[in-house]
Amino acid sequence: MKFNLLSDERDVARLMFGLKLGLEIISDTHMAGVMNEVFTANGQMVKSLWRRNVKNWLQAAFIAGCFDVAPLRRLLLAHAKLDVRALIDDSAELRKWALSRANPPHHVSCTCRMGRADDAGAVVDPDCRVRGVENLHVIDASVMPTLVRANTHLPVIMIAEKVADRLRAEHR
Ligand SMILES: Cc1cc2nc3c(=O)[nH]c(=O)nc-3n(C[C@H](O)[C@H](O)[C@H](O)COP(=O)(O)OP(=O)(O)OC[C@H]3O[C@@H](n4cnc5c(N)ncnc54)[C@H](O)[C@@H]3O)c2cc1C
């Protein structure tokens, strides 16, 4: 699926603003005593460890062990360390870094939102019926009016259970 994320400059500007704020916070001298190296993870490598098997378990345990020992951690992160100050001072560099690293979360929703009859932007009514189309319901994460503040899987199941009960009652 291609979402064309960050194709709108306003989104890029918001992302840059948030990133810069975060980087400024971690570069504050008060933070120095409570944090170690700032680095960006190698996404491909992290992804390769998702599969549960003995080899990945050993590899993950080795990396975690190294992270607990400062000299080993620094050695491991030699190429991944982030120059926070340089990113804060160079907007073009920050932009390049942000665009190359940004990933969408896996909580796609709200593309077909539910709303009241006077809501011109609502696609389905509160019973998940598609407005203007007979006998068609949409019952999934897309009907969420706004993105939920937690994970989406359980709310989707709740929406589906509720609407299924209503439909069953209607057809009894
Ligand atoms: C990698 C990943 C990790 C996630 N982790 C979590 C998590 O830890 N916790 C959490 O709460 N949520 C998580 N989510 C989000 C959660 O899985 C989704 O929000 C939820 O599954 C959305 O439900 P849905 O019914 O809207 O869509 P889906 O679950 O995507 O269901 C859509 C269904 O429609 C089918 N379909 C598509 N097109 C057609 C077609 N033309 N004809 C017939 N069938 C079709 C698909 O095969 C699919 O079965 C994660 C999502 C991803 C991708």
Side-chain angles (χ1 to χ4, degrees), residues 106-107 140-141 151-154 156:
H106 306 299
H107 294 133
D140 58 21
N151 286 339
T152 42
H153 177 72
L154 285 178
V156 168

Side-chain angles (χ1 to χ4, degrees), residues 28-158:
D28 190 280
T29 47
H30 290 92
M31 293 295 288
V34 291
M35 55 181 238
N36 297 317
E37 294 73 24
V38 181
F39 68 98
T40 37
N42 176 336
Q44 284 308 318
M45 204 258 260
V46 172
K47 206 168 159 189
S48 73
L49 293 173
W50 282 359
R51 199 174 291 277
R52 280 174 187 242
N53 57 39
V54 177
K55 184 177 154 239
N56 283 346
W57 187 89
L58 287 171
Q59 225 174 315
F62 172 75
I63 295 169
C66 288
F67 266 68
D68 287 339
V69 184
L72 286 179
R73 181 178 63 239
R74 283 187 209 114
L75 201 66
L76 208 67
L77 296 177
H79 298 293
K81 257 185 85 175
L82 211 59
D83 188 344
V84 176
R85 200 65 254 167
L87 284 177
I88 294 173
D89 293 341
D90 187 342
S91 293
E93 201 50 40
L94 178 64
R95 184 192 170 90
K96 211 165 83 189
W97 177 71
L99 294 185
S100 68
R101 293 279 170 175
N103 268 310
H106 306 299
H107 294 133
V108 184
S109 59
C110 317
T111 50
C112 186
R113 71 179 165 82
M114 176 188 287
R116 293 190 318 223
D118 60 350
D119 181 349
V123 177
V124 297
D125 71 11
D127 284 323
C128 288
R129 287 191 207 93
V130 178
R131 294 231 155 89
V133 183
E134 286 286 304
N135 297 323
L136 181 64
H137 292 74
V138 172
I139 309 165
D140 58 21
S142 61
V143 304
M144 292 175 181
T146 52
L147 182 56
V148 290
R149 289 182 187 192
N151 286 339
T152 42
H153 177 72
L154 285 178
V156 168
I157 291 183
M158 189 198 72

